Amino acid sequence: MFSKKMLWGSFTALVFLTGTSDVTLAEMPAHSSEQTSQFHRIEQPLGLKVGVAIGGLALIGLELWWFLVYKNSES
């Protein structure tokens, strides 16, 4: 079912993806003794929001077409 080469490749990829590095992505400042419960709003351009929404809907539509329509037409 699974070859040794495929299993070792998957294991190696998993190690690389979950490996640690010396770079800290989100480090808290040393002087952050006060904690706030508010999130910081990051404004995005309207075109970017619309583009991401259209791209997501297009990918969902493609997936539905692939699994529901395309596979049934071959049978």
Side-chain angles (χ1 to χ4, degrees), residues 16-28:
F16 281 125
L17 288 174
T18 59
T20 59
S21 65
D22 292 335
V23 178
T24 303
L25 296 177
E27 184 176 317
M28 294 294 290

Side-chain angles (χ1 to χ4, degrees), residues 1-7:
M1 182 175 198
F2 293 106
S3 67
K4 282 186 178 183
K5 185 177 182 179
M6 189 169 92
L7 288 174

Side-chain angles (χ1 to χ4, degrees), residues 30-42:
H31 64 280
S32 67
S33 60
E34 62 188 50
Q35 292 201 358
T36 61
S37 62
Q38 299 295 322
F39 291 104
H40 296 284
R41 185 172 198 83
I42 300 174

Side-chain angles (χ1 to χ4, degrees), residues 8 20 23-24 28 30 34 46 56 63 65 67 69 71-72:
W8 279 109
T20 59
V23 178
T24 303
M28 294 294 290
E34 62 188 50
L46 181 61
E63 180 181 2
W65 171 79
F67 286 108
V69 178
K71 294 292 183 177
N72 289 336

